PDB file of all heavy atoms in Angstrom:
ATOM      1  N   PRO R   7     -22.775-118.745-214.947  1.00 49.00           N
ATOM      2  CA  PRO R   7     -21.814-117.923-214.228  1.00 49.00           C
ATOM      3  C   PRO R   7     -21.610-116.553-214.866  1.00 49.00           C
ATOM      4  O   PRO R   7     -21.032-115.677-214.256  1.00 49.00           O
ATOM      5  CB  PRO R   7     -20.512-118.747-214.274  1.00 49.00           C
ATOM      6  CG  PRO R   7     -20.727-119.794-215.299  1.00 49.00           C
ATOM      7  CD  PRO R   7     -22.187-119.950-215.491  1.00 49.00           C
ATOM      8  N   GLN R   8     -22.119-116.363-216.098  1.00 60.00           N
ATOM      9  CA  GLN R   8     -21.945-115.078-216.767  1.00 60.00           C
ATOM     10  C   GLN R   8     -23.088-114.114-216.527  1.00 60.00           C
ATOM     11  O   GLN R   8     -23.066-112.990-217.011  1.00 60.00           O
ATOM     12  CB  GLN R   8     -21.755-115.308-218.281  1.00 60.00           C
ATOM     13  CG  GLN R   8     -20.525-116.108-218.614  1.00 60.00           C
ATOM     14  CD  GLN R   8     -19.255-115.437-218.122  1.00 60.00           C
ATOM     15  OE1 GLN R   8     -19.108-114.249-218.194  1.00 60.00           O
ATOM     16  NE2 GLN R   8     -18.350-116.239-217.582  1.00 60.00           N
ATOM     17  N   THR R   9     -24.138-114.530-215.822  1.00 75.00           N
ATOM     18  CA  THR R   9     -25.275-113.656-215.572  1.00 75.00           C
ATOM     19  C   THR R   9     -25.400-113.386-214.076  1.00 75.00           C
ATOM     20  O   THR R   9     -24.941-114.155-213.249  1.00 75.00           O
ATOM     21  CB  THR R   9     -26.591-114.272-216.092  1.00 75.00           C
ATOM     22  OG1 THR R   9     -26.820-115.500-215.386  1.00 75.00           O
ATOM     23  CG2 THR R   9     -26.538-114.513-217.575  1.00 75.00           C
ATOM     24  N   LEU R  10     -26.044-112.295-213.772  1.00 81.00           N
ATOM     25  CA  LEU R  10     -26.242-111.896-212.385  1.00 81.00           C
ATOM     26  C   LEU R  10     -27.737-111.692-212.178  1.00 81.00           C
ATOM     27  O   LEU R  10     -28.372-110.938-212.942  1.00 81.00           O
ATOM     28  CB  LEU R  10     -25.470-110.606-212.118  1.00 81.00           C
ATOM     29  CG  LEU R  10     -25.398-110.089-210.697  1.00 81.00           C
ATOM     30  CD1 LEU R  10     -24.728-111.130-209.794  1.00 81.00           C
ATOM     31  CD2 LEU R  10     -24.606-108.802-210.650  1.00 81.00           C
ATOM     32  N   SER R  11     -28.306-112.335-211.178  1.00 87.00           N
ATOM     33  CA  SER R  11     -29.720-112.192-210.924  1.00 87.00           C
ATOM     34  C   SER R  11     -30.029-110.779-210.434  1.00 87.00           C
ATOM     35  O   SER R  11     -29.172-110.083-209.890  1.00 87.00           O
ATOM     36  CB  SER R  11     -30.185-113.215-209.881  1.00 87.00           C
ATOM     37  OG  SER R  11     -29.655-112.890-208.618  1.00 87.00           O
ATOM     38  N   ALA R  12     -31.260-110.362-210.639  1.00 89.00           N
ATOM     39  CA  ALA R  12     -31.677-109.024-210.210  1.00 89.00           C
ATOM     40  C   ALA R  12     -31.518-108.838-208.692  1.00 89.00           C
ATOM     41  O   ALA R  12     -31.006-107.803-208.251  1.00 89.00           O
ATOM     42  CB  ALA R  12     -33.099-108.744-210.654  1.00 89.00           C
ATOM     43  N   PRO R  13     -31.908-109.821-207.866  1.00 91.00           N
ATOM     44  CA  PRO R  13     -31.707-109.627-206.427  1.00 91.00           C
ATOM     45  C   PRO R  13     -30.233-109.489-206.044  1.00 91.00           C
ATOM     46  O   PRO R  13     -29.890-108.660-205.202  1.00 91.00           O
ATOM     47  CB  PRO R  13     -32.321-110.887-205.801  1.00 91.00           C
ATOM     48  CG  PRO R  13     -33.305-111.370-206.776  1.00 91.00           C
ATOM     49  CD  PRO R  13     -32.723-111.020-208.126  1.00 91.00           C
ATOM     50  N   ALA R  14     -29.372-110.274-206.688  1.00 89.00           N
ATOM     51  CA  ALA R  14     -27.937-110.175-206.390  1.00 89.00           C
ATOM     52  C   ALA R  14     -27.391-108.810-206.832  1.00 89.00           C
ATOM     53  O   ALA R  14     -26.582-108.199-206.136  1.00 89.00           O
ATOM     54  CB  ALA R  14     -27.168-111.300-207.076  1.00 89.00           C
ATOM     55  N   ARG R  15     -27.845-108.344-207.992  1.00 91.00           N
ATOM     56  CA  ARG R  15     -27.403-107.038-208.491  1.00 91.00           C
ATOM     57  C   ARG R  15     -27.821-105.927-207.530  1.00 91.00           C
ATOM     58  O   ARG R  15     -27.021-105.082-207.165  1.00 91.00           O
ATOM     59  CB  ARG R  15     -27.960-106.789-209.885  1.00 91.00           C
ATOM     60  CG  ARG R  15     -27.427-105.523-210.507  1.00 91.00           C
ATOM     61  CD  ARG R  15     -27.932-105.254-211.922  1.00 91.00           C
ATOM     62  NE  ARG R  15     -27.981-106.431-212.759  1.00 91.00           N
ATOM     63  CZ  ARG R  15     -29.123-107.039-213.168  1.00 91.00           C
ATOM     64  NH1 ARG R  15     -30.283-106.547-212.799  1.00 91.00           N
ATOM     65  NH2 ARG R  15     -29.075-108.092-213.944  1.00 91.00           N
ATOM     66  N   TRP R  16     -29.080-105.937-207.107  1.00 94.00           N
ATOM     67  CA  TRP R  16     -29.549-104.885-206.200  1.00 94.00           C
ATOM     68  C   TRP R  16     -28.888-104.987-204.824  1.00 94.00           C
ATOM     69  O   TRP R  16     -28.593-103.967-204.196  1.00 94.00           O
ATOM     70  CB  TRP R  16     -31.073-104.918-206.092  1.00 94.00           C
ATOM     71  CG  TRP R  16     -31.681-104.242-207.265  1.00 94.00           C
ATOM     72  CD1 TRP R  16     -32.266-104.838-208.345  1.00 94.00           C
ATOM     73  CD2 TRP R  16     -31.701-102.834-207.528  1.00 94.00           C
ATOM     74  NE1 TRP R  16     -32.661-103.879-209.260  1.00 94.00           N
ATOM     75  CE2 TRP R  16     -32.327-102.647-208.766  1.00 94.00           C
ATOM     76  CE3 TRP R  16     -31.257-101.725-206.823  1.00 94.00           C
ATOM     77  CZ2 TRP R  16     -32.513-101.388-209.325  1.00 94.00           C
ATOM     78  CZ3 TRP R  16     -31.444-100.461-207.377  1.00 94.00           C
ATOM     79  CH2 TRP R  16     -32.063-100.307-208.617  1.00 94.00           C
ATOM     80  N   THR R  17     -28.657-106.198-204.359  1.00 96.00           N
ATOM     81  CA  THR R  17     -27.927-106.369-203.103  1.00 96.00           C
ATOM     82  C   THR R  17     -26.539-105.775-203.213  1.00 96.00           C
ATOM     83  O   THR R  17     -26.063-105.095-202.311  1.00 96.00           O
ATOM     84  CB  THR R  17     -27.860-107.858-202.726  1.00 96.00           C
ATOM     85  OG1 THR R  17     -29.189-108.360-202.595  1.00 96.00           O
ATOM     86  CG2 THR R  17     -27.116-108.057-201.418  1.00 96.00           C
ATOM     87  N   SER R  18     -25.885-106.011-204.351  1.00 96.00           N
ATOM     88  CA  SER R  18     -24.534-105.460-204.539  1.00 96.00           C
ATOM     89  C   SER R  18     -24.566-103.936-204.568  1.00 96.00           C
ATOM     90  O   SER R  18     -23.683-103.291-204.020  1.00 96.00           O
ATOM     91  CB  SER R  18     -23.908-106.021-205.823  1.00 96.00           C
ATOM     92  OG  SER R  18     -24.433-105.380-206.982  1.00 96.00           O
ATOM     93  N   TYR R  19     -25.580-103.367-205.205  1.00 96.00           N
ATOM     94  CA  TYR R  19     -25.683-101.895-205.252  1.00 96.00           C
ATOM     95  C   TYR R  19     -25.882-101.329-203.861  1.00 96.00           C
ATOM     96  O   TYR R  19     -25.269-100.308-203.503  1.00 96.00           O
ATOM     97  CB  TYR R  19     -26.841-101.450-206.158  1.00 96.00           C
ATOM     98  CG  TYR R  19     -26.642-101.745-207.626  1.00 96.00           C
ATOM     99  CD1 TYR R  19     -27.743-101.873-208.466  1.00 96.00           C
ATOM    100  CD2 TYR R  19     -25.390-101.894-208.195  1.00 96.00           C
ATOM    101  CE1 TYR R  19     -27.597-102.132-209.817  1.00 96.00           C
ATOM    102  CE2 TYR R  19     -25.224-102.165-209.543  1.00 96.00           C
ATOM    103  CZ  TYR R  19     -26.327-102.266-210.344  1.00 96.00           C
ATOM    104  OH  TYR R  19     -26.178-102.516-211.687  1.00 96.00           O
ATOM    105  N   ILE R  20     -26.743-101.942-203.078  1.00 97.00           N
ATOM    106  CA  ILE R  20     -27.009-101.441-201.714  1.00 97.00           C
ATOM    107  C   ILE R  20     -25.775-101.587-200.842  1.00 97.00           C
ATOM    108  O   ILE R  20     -25.401-100.663-200.115  1.00 97.00           O
ATOM    109  CB  ILE R  20     -28.227-102.168-201.106  1.00 97.00           C
ATOM    110  CG1 ILE R  20     -29.501-101.774-201.876  1.00 97.00           C
ATOM    111  CG2 ILE R  20     -28.366-101.860-199.617  1.00 97.00           C
ATOM    112  CD1 ILE R  20     -30.696-102.645-201.586  1.00 97.00           C
ATOM    113  N   MET R  21     -25.124-102.765-200.925  1.00 97.00           N
ATOM    114  CA  MET R  21     -23.908-102.964-200.126  1.00 97.00           C
ATOM    115  C   MET R  21     -22.829-101.949-200.483  1.00 97.00           C
ATOM    116  O   MET R  21     -22.142-101.428-199.606  1.00 97.00           O
ATOM    117  CB  MET R  21     -23.369-104.385-200.344  1.00 97.00           C
ATOM    118  CG  MET R  21     -24.199-105.454-199.712  1.00 97.00           C
ATOM    119  SD  MET R  21     -23.618-107.124-200.129  1.00 97.00           S
ATOM    120  CE  MET R  21     -22.089-107.193-199.201  1.00 97.00           C
ATOM    121  N   SER R  22     -22.683-101.651-201.758  1.00 97.00           N
ATOM    122  CA  SER R  22     -21.671-100.701-202.205  1.00 97.00           C
ATOM    123  C   SER R  22     -22.034 -99.267-201.876  1.00 97.00           C
ATOM    124  O   SER R  22     -21.163 -98.429-201.618  1.00 97.00           O
ATOM    125  CB  SER R  22     -21.452-100.834-203.711  1.00 97.00           C
ATOM    126  OG  SER R  22     -20.947-102.103-204.025  1.00 97.00           O
ATOM    127  N   ALA R  23     -23.326 -98.960-201.892  1.00 97.00           N
ATOM    128  CA  ALA R  23     -23.768 -97.593-201.673  1.00 97.00           C
ATOM    129  C   ALA R  23     -23.514 -97.111-200.249  1.00 97.00           C
ATOM    130  O   ALA R  23     -23.255 -95.929-200.040  1.00 97.00           O
ATOM    131  CB  ALA R  23     -25.264 -97.456-202.007  1.00 97.00           C
ATOM    132  N   ILE R  24     -23.560 -98.008-199.300  1.00 98.00           N
ATOM    133  CA  ILE R  24     -23.425 -97.600-197.896  1.00 98.00           C
ATOM    134  C   ILE R  24     -22.050 -96.987-197.610  1.00 98.00           C
ATOM    135  O   ILE R  24     -21.964 -95.836-197.157  1.00 98.00           O
ATOM    136  CB  ILE R  24     -23.756 -98.759-196.947  1.00 98.00           C
ATOM    137  CG1 ILE R  24     -25.242 -99.117-197.077  1.00 98.00           C
ATOM    138  CG2 ILE R  24     -23.405 -98.418-195.502  1.00 98.00           C
ATOM    139  CD1 ILE R  24     -25.652-100.411-196.410  1.00 98.00           C
ATOM    140  N   PRO R  25     -20.937 -97.659-197.879  1.00 98.00           N
ATOM    141  CA  PRO R  25     -19.639 -97.009-197.601  1.00 98.00           C
ATOM    142  C   PRO R  25     -19.375 -95.800-198.488  1.00 98.00           C
ATOM    143  O   PRO R  25     -18.823 -94.800-198.028  1.00 98.00           O
ATOM    144  CB  PRO R  25     -18.604 -98.117-197.846  1.00 98.00           C
ATOM    145  CG  PRO R  25     -19.299 -99.183-198.579  1.00 98.00           C
ATOM    146  CD  PRO R  25     -20.749 -99.043-198.320  1.00 98.00           C
ATOM    147  N   VAL R  26     -19.811 -95.868-199.746  1.00 98.00           N
ATOM    148  CA  VAL R  26     -19.585 -94.740-200.655  1.00 98.00           C
ATOM    149  C   VAL R  26     -20.369 -93.503-200.187  1.00 98.00           C
ATOM    150  O   VAL R  26     -19.831 -92.409-200.160  1.00 98.00           O
ATOM    151  CB  VAL R  26     -19.954 -95.128-202.104  1.00 98.00           C
ATOM    152  CG1 VAL R  26     -20.036 -93.918-203.009  1.00 98.00           C
ATOM    153  CG2 VAL R  26     -18.946 -96.132-202.647  1.00 98.00           C
ATOM    154  N   ALA R  27     -21.612 -93.698-199.817  1.00 98.00           N
ATOM    155  CA  ALA R  27     -22.420 -92.574-199.349  1.00 98.00           C
ATOM    156  C   ALA R  27     -21.816 -91.957-198.091  1.00 98.00           C
ATOM    157  O   ALA R  27     -21.747 -90.718-197.961  1.00 98.00           O
ATOM    158  CB  ALA R  27     -23.852 -93.029-199.073  1.00 98.00           C
ATOM    159  N   LEU R  28     -21.364 -92.781-197.171  1.00 97.00           N
ATOM    160  CA  LEU R  28     -20.755 -92.252-195.961  1.00 97.00           C
ATOM    161  C   LEU R  28     -19.481 -91.470-196.255  1.00 97.00           C
ATOM    162  O   LEU R  28     -19.221 -90.421-195.661  1.00 97.00           O
ATOM    163  CB  LEU R  28     -20.491 -93.377-194.962  1.00 97.00           C
ATOM    164  CG  LEU R  28     -21.732 -93.981-194.336  1.00 97.00           C
ATOM    165  CD1 LEU R  28     -21.391 -95.221-193.518  1.00 97.00           C
ATOM    166  CD2 LEU R  28     -22.473 -92.976-193.492  1.00 97.00           C
ATOM    167  N   MET R  29     -18.690 -91.943-197.191  1.00 98.00           N
ATOM    168  CA  MET R  29     -17.468 -91.238-197.582  1.00 98.00           C
ATOM    169  C   MET R  29     -17.794 -89.895-198.235  1.00 98.00           C
ATOM    170  O   MET R  29     -17.164 -88.880-197.929  1.00 98.00           O
ATOM    171  CB  MET R  29     -16.615 -92.095-198.520  1.00 98.00           C
ATOM    172  CG  MET R  29     -16.010 -93.306-197.842  1.00 98.00           C
ATOM    173  SD  MET R  29     -15.122 -94.364-198.998  1.00 98.00           S
ATOM    174  CE  MET R  29     -13.600 -93.448-199.137  1.00 98.00           C
ATOM    175  N   ILE R  30     -18.790 -89.891-199.109  1.00 97.00           N
ATOM    176  CA  ILE R  30     -19.162 -88.662-199.786  1.00 97.00           C
ATOM    177  C   ILE R  30     -19.752 -87.663-198.813  1.00 97.00           C
ATOM    178  O   ILE R  30     -19.385 -86.470-198.821  1.00 97.00           O
ATOM    179  CB  ILE R  30     -20.124 -88.964-200.963  1.00 97.00           C
ATOM    180  CG1 ILE R  30     -19.372 -89.701-202.060  1.00 97.00           C
ATOM    181  CG2 ILE R  30     -20.762 -87.686-201.491  1.00 97.00           C
ATOM    182  CD1 ILE R  30     -20.250 -90.239-203.178  1.00 97.00           C
ATOM    183  N   PHE R  31     -20.639 -88.094-197.931  1.00 97.00           N
ATOM    184  CA  PHE R  31     -21.223 -87.183-196.947  1.00 97.00           C
ATOM    185  C   PHE R  31     -20.170 -86.625-195.993  1.00 97.00           C
ATOM    186  O   PHE R  31     -20.205 -85.458-195.631  1.00 97.00           O
ATOM    187  CB  PHE R  31     -22.353 -87.853-196.164  1.00 97.00           C
ATOM    188  CG  PHE R  31     -23.582 -88.125-196.972  1.00 97.00           C
ATOM    189  CD1 PHE R  31     -24.260 -89.323-196.846  1.00 97.00           C
ATOM    190  CD2 PHE R  31     -24.076 -87.185-197.870  1.00 97.00           C
ATOM    191  CE1 PHE R  31     -25.393 -89.589-197.600  1.00 97.00           C
ATOM    192  CE2 PHE R  31     -25.207 -87.440-198.631  1.00 97.00           C
ATOM    193  CZ  PHE R  31     -25.867 -88.641-198.487  1.00 97.00           C
ATOM    194  N   SER R  32     -19.234 -87.464-195.601  1.00 96.00           N
ATOM    195  CA  SER R  32     -18.153 -87.008-194.725  1.00 96.00           C
ATOM    196  C   SER R  32     -17.298 -85.973-195.444  1.00 96.00           C
ATOM    197  O   SER R  32     -16.936 -84.940-194.853  1.00 96.00           O
ATOM    198  CB  SER R  32     -17.295 -88.194-194.308  1.00 96.00           C
ATOM    199  OG  SER R  32     -16.184 -87.778-193.579  1.00 96.00           O
ATOM    200  N   ALA R  33     -16.953 -86.224-196.708  1.00 97.00           N
ATOM    201  CA  ALA R  33     -16.132 -85.280-197.472  1.00 97.00           C
ATOM    202  C   ALA R  33     -16.858 -83.947-197.641  1.00 97.00           C
ATOM    203  O   ALA R  33     -16.261 -82.879-197.456  1.00 97.00           O
ATOM    204  CB  ALA R  33     -15.781 -85.878-198.825  1.00 97.00           C
ATOM    205  N   ILE R  34     -18.147 -84.013-197.958  1.00 96.00           N
ATOM    206  CA  ILE R  34     -18.924 -82.771-198.100  1.00 96.00           C
ATOM    207  C   ILE R  34     -18.938 -82.005-196.789  1.00 96.00           C
ATOM    208  O   ILE R  34     -18.788 -80.786-196.761  1.00 96.00           O
ATOM    209  CB  ILE R  34     -20.341 -83.086-198.603  1.00 96.00           C
ATOM    210  CG1 ILE R  34     -20.277 -83.558-200.061  1.00 96.00           C
ATOM    211  CG2 ILE R  34     -21.253 -81.871-198.465  1.00 96.00           C
ATOM    212  CD1 ILE R  34     -21.594 -84.110-200.589  1.00 96.00           C
ATOM    213  N   GLY R  35     -19.130 -82.729-195.683  1.00 96.00           N
ATOM    214  CA  GLY R  35     -19.121 -82.086-194.373  1.00 96.00           C
ATOM    215  C   GLY R  35     -17.809 -81.388-194.074  1.00 96.00           C
ATOM    216  O   GLY R  35     -17.763 -80.297-193.502  1.00 96.00           O
ATOM    217  N   MET R  36     -16.696 -82.021-194.463  1.00 95.00           N
ATOM    218  CA  MET R  36     -15.391 -81.391-194.247  1.00 95.00           C
ATOM    219  C   MET R  36     -15.211 -80.166-195.130  1.00 95.00           C
ATOM    220  O   MET R  36     -14.692 -79.145-194.687  1.00 95.00           O
ATOM    221  CB  MET R  36     -14.274 -82.404-194.524  1.00 95.00           C
ATOM    222  CG  MET R  36     -14.125 -83.439-193.437  1.00 95.00           C
ATOM    223  SD  MET R  36     -12.690 -84.470-193.758  1.00 95.00           S
ATOM    224  CE  MET R  36     -13.294 -86.021-193.154  1.00 95.00           C
ATOM    225  N   PHE R  37     -15.653 -80.259-196.376  1.00 95.00           N
ATOM    226  CA  PHE R  37     -15.528 -79.105-197.286  1.00 95.00           C
ATOM    227  C   PHE R  37     -16.411 -77.947-196.832  1.00 95.00           C
ATOM    228  O   PHE R  37     -16.020 -76.790-196.961  1.00 95.00           O
ATOM    229  CB  PHE R  37     -15.893 -79.496-198.718  1.00 95.00           C
ATOM    230  CG  PHE R  37     -14.821 -80.264-199.433  1.00 95.00           C
ATOM    231  CD1 PHE R  37     -15.125 -81.405-200.157  1.00 95.00           C
ATOM    232  CD2 PHE R  37     -13.484 -79.860-199.399  1.00 95.00           C
ATOM    233  CE1 PHE R  37     -14.153 -82.114-200.838  1.00 95.00           C
ATOM    234  CE2 PHE R  37     -12.500 -80.572-200.065  1.00 95.00           C
ATOM    235  CZ  PHE R  37     -12.843 -81.701-200.790  1.00 95.00           C
ATOM    236  N   ARG R  38     -17.579 -78.252-196.308  1.00 95.00           N
ATOM    237  CA  ARG R  38     -18.516 -77.208-195.870  1.00 95.00           C
ATOM    238  C   ARG R  38     -18.160 -76.665-194.489  1.00 95.00           C
ATOM    239  O   ARG R  38     -18.743 -75.681-194.062  1.00 95.00           O
ATOM    240  CB  ARG R  38     -19.935 -77.731-195.862  1.00 95.00           C
ATOM    241  CG  ARG R  38     -20.425 -78.116-197.240  1.00 95.00           C
ATOM    242  CD  ARG R  38     -21.819 -78.619-197.190  1.00 95.00           C
ATOM    243  NE  ARG R  38     -22.666 -77.589-197.763  1.00 95.00           N
ATOM    244  CZ  ARG R  38     -23.955 -77.521-197.599  1.00 95.00           C
ATOM    245  NH1 ARG R  38     -24.574 -78.407-196.844  1.00 95.00           N
ATOM    246  NH2 ARG R  38     -24.665 -76.584-198.166  1.00 95.00           N
ATOM    247  N   GLY R  39     -17.279 -77.306-193.788  1.00 93.00           N
ATOM    248  CA  GLY R  39     -16.880 -76.837-192.473  1.00 93.00           C
ATOM    249  C   GLY R  39     -17.856 -77.183-191.360  1.00 93.00           C
ATOM    250  O   GLY R  39     -18.063 -76.399-190.448  1.00 93.00           O
ATOM    251  N   SER R  40     -18.422 -78.385-191.429  1.00 93.00           N
ATOM    252  CA  SER R  40     -19.337 -78.851-190.381  1.00 93.00           C
ATOM    253  C   SER R  40     -18.600 -78.853-189.049  1.00 93.00           C
ATOM    254  O   SER R  40     -17.623 -79.579-188.850  1.00 93.00           O
ATOM    255  CB  SER R  40     -19.823 -80.263-190.727  1.00 93.00           C
ATOM    256  OG  SER R  40     -20.449 -80.858-189.621  1.00 93.00           O
ATOM    257  N   GLN R  41     -19.098 -78.051-188.116  1.00 95.00           N
ATOM    258  CA  GLN R  41     -18.413 -77.904-186.833  1.00 95.00           C
ATOM    259  C   GLN R  41     -18.366 -79.211-186.048  1.00 95.00           C
ATOM    260  O   GLN R  41     -17.359 -79.525-185.409  1.00 95.00           O
ATOM    261  CB  GLN R  41     -19.059 -76.797-185.993  1.00 95.00           C
ATOM    262  CG  GLN R  41     -18.790 -75.410-186.542  1.00 95.00           C
ATOM    263  CD  GLN R  41     -17.295 -75.139-186.698  1.00 95.00           C
ATOM    264  OE1 GLN R  41     -16.497 -75.355-185.780  1.00 95.00           O
ATOM    265  NE2 GLN R  41     -16.909 -74.701-187.884  1.00 95.00           N
ATOM    266  N   SER R  42     -19.439 -79.983-186.075  1.00 95.00           N
ATOM    267  CA  SER R  42     -19.426 -81.251-185.339  1.00 95.00           C
ATOM    268  C   SER R  42     -18.408 -82.218-185.918  1.00 95.00           C
ATOM    269  O   SER R  42     -17.710 -82.910-185.189  1.00 95.00           O
ATOM    270  CB  SER R  42     -20.832 -81.875-185.306  1.00 95.00           C
ATOM    271  OG  SER R  42     -21.271 -82.142-186.613  1.00 95.00           O
ATOM    272  N   LEU R  43     -18.321 -82.268-187.249  1.00 94.00           N
ATOM    273  CA  LEU R  43     -17.345 -83.147-187.891  1.00 94.00           C
ATOM    274  C   LEU R  43     -15.927 -82.659-187.650  1.00 94.00           C
ATOM    275  O   LEU R  43     -15.030 -83.453-187.340  1.00 94.00           O
ATOM    276  CB  LEU R  43     -17.635 -83.240-189.397  1.00 94.00           C
ATOM    277  CG  LEU R  43     -16.777 -84.207-190.195  1.00 94.00           C
ATOM    278  CD1 LEU R  43     -16.881 -85.615-189.643  1.00 94.00           C
ATOM    279  CD2 LEU R  43     -17.184 -84.179-191.645  1.00 94.00           C
ATOM    280  N   ILE R  44     -15.709 -81.371-187.750  1.00 94.00           N
ATOM    281  CA  ILE R  44     -14.374 -80.810-187.493  1.00 94.00           C
ATOM    282  C   ILE R  44     -13.969 -81.055-186.052  1.00 94.00           C
ATOM    283  O   ILE R  44     -12.827 -81.420-185.766  1.00 94.00           O
ATOM    284  CB  ILE R  44     -14.347 -79.318-187.858  1.00 94.00           C
ATOM    285  CG1 ILE R  44     -14.435 -79.147-189.376  1.00 94.00           C
ATOM    286  CG2 ILE R  44     -13.091 -78.645-187.309  1.00 94.00           C
ATOM    287  CD1 ILE R  44     -14.617 -77.721-189.823  1.00 94.00           C
ATOM    288  N   GLN R  45     -14.907 -80.882-185.128  1.00 95.00           N
ATOM    289  CA  GLN R  45     -14.602 -81.118-183.717  1.00 95.00           C
ATOM    290  C   GLN R  45     -14.251 -82.611-183.487  1.00 95.00           C
ATOM    291  O   GLN R  45     -13.297 -82.915-182.773  1.00 95.00           O
ATOM    292  CB  GLN R  45     -15.791 -80.716-182.857  1.00 95.00           C
ATOM    293  CG  GLN R  45     -15.529 -80.813-181.376  1.00 95.00           C
ATOM    294  CD  GLN R  45     -16.706 -80.307-180.571  1.00 95.00           C
ATOM    295  OE1 GLN R  45     -17.816 -80.180-181.066  1.00 95.00           O
ATOM    296  NE2 GLN R  45     -16.461 -80.029-179.310  1.00 95.00           N
ATOM    297  N   LEU R  46     -15.014 -83.505-184.093  1.00 94.00           N
ATOM    298  CA  LEU R  46     -14.717 -84.946-183.958  1.00 94.00           C
ATOM    299  C   LEU R  46     -13.340 -85.257-184.502  1.00 94.00           C
ATOM    300  O   LEU R  46     -12.550 -85.939-183.845  1.00 94.00           O
ATOM    301  CB  LEU R  46     -15.770 -85.778-184.716  1.00 94.00           C
ATOM    302  CG  LEU R  46     -15.434 -87.258-184.861  1.00 94.00           C
ATOM    303  CD1 LEU R  46     -15.651 -87.973-183.534  1.00 94.00           C
ATOM    304  CD2 LEU R  46     -16.256 -87.878-185.952  1.00 94.00           C
TER     305      LEU R  46
END
């Protein structure tokens, strides 16, 4: 129970990266003044 397999670790990284990446891209779009994002 104290170890994590490589597939589980990579699955966790991918699962976590999706919402984080979307949040970061959205924030960058707002800071840069993306017209489509601002309009939405």
Side-chain angles (χ1 to χ4, degrees):
Q8 297 301 320
T9 62
L10 187 60
S11 70
R15 185 178 319 109
W16 280 104
T17 301
S18 77
Y19 292 156
I20 292 167
M21 288 174 70
S22 296
I24 294 169
V26 167
L28 290 172
M29 291 176 79
I30 291 171
F31 290 138
S32 174
I34 290 171
M36 286 186 215
F37 284 134
R38 296 180 107 198
S40 167
Q41 289 305 310
S42 60
L43 185 57
I44 290 172
Q45 185 176 17
L46 169 74

